[in-house]
Amino acid sequence: MADIQRRLAALASGRPGRPPRSSGRPVDAAAVRELEAYLGAPLPAAVALFLTEIGLGVGPYGGFLAPEKIRYEVQLDRDDCADDGIPVPDLAAPFPITAQDVRARPYPVRPLPLDGAVRIGQQGCGRWTVLALTGELAGTVWDLDGEWAERTEWRPAAHWPEEPPASGPVHFLDWVERWLDRQ
């Protein structure tokens, strides 16, 4: 985390010919706890620390969603599931994708939303960054196409539309560091 903070501070100070960039807006620890209570599952420790130490607006595709935006997206998913008569995902249940699933090609196809996972970033054009909260791959980050779909390909997170997905699961802090390497 210290290396990420140092690198973000350097990024925030700007580079020759480029304006300074924000290093983020830290989230109050109480807001993180409220989000976790709403989700019914704790955020992975690295994610909670990132939010309270570094904050929003940092990362690929405009950075981490604000806790209130995450809550809004979760509620929309719950409402849509109820309206469609399908089970509402349990965010405290184990994330069902495993490392073995990711090694297989094509990538796993599962519905969106999915147990044990929450959207943490919007990439635009119906694309999302999703965080696994639970299970074998808790703390990993995924790229998905589609606002709402019964069959969505769960790809390990990349950072740019032209970049291929990672070859295996990408943990949250590795995802942030890979983004920093591209800056």
Side-chain angles (χ1 to χ4, degrees), residues 61-168:
Y61 305 108
F64 208 97
L65 292 177
E68 58 272 12
K69 177 67 173 161
I70 292 173
R71 289 173 64 136
Y72 174 79
E73 293 297 334
V74 168
Q75 190 58 54
L76 281 179
D77 287 343
R78 289 174 176 165
D79 292 346
D80 287 344
C81 285
D83 290 347
D84 291 347
I86 59 176
V88 175
D90 180 354
L91 300 180
F95 179 64
I97 297 173
T98 67
Q100 179 65 36
D101 294 331
V102 178
R103 285 189 286 274
R105 295 294 187 279
Y107 288 109
V109 174
R110 302 287 192 280
L112 173 65
L114 187 61
D115 285 347
V118 66
R119 298 173 201 198
I120 62 166
Q122 189 170 17
Q123 300 174 10
C125 298
R127 295 189 56 171
W128 290 92
T129 301
V130 178
L131 174 70
L133 297 173
T134 59
E136 174 188 333
L137 298 178
T140 58
V141 184
W142 303 82
D143 285 339
L144 291 102
D145 290 326
E147 293 286 332
W148 179 266
E150 287 188 30
R151 297 187 50 79
T152 301
E153 186 177 64
W154 287 71
R155 295 179 310 275
H159 294 99
W160 313 101
E162 70 277 4
E163 183 179 289
S167 60

Side-chain angles (χ1 to χ4, degrees), residues 8-15 18-21:
L8 287 169
L11 182 63
S13 66
R15 295 181 183 167
R18 295 177 73 186
R21 295 183 57 162

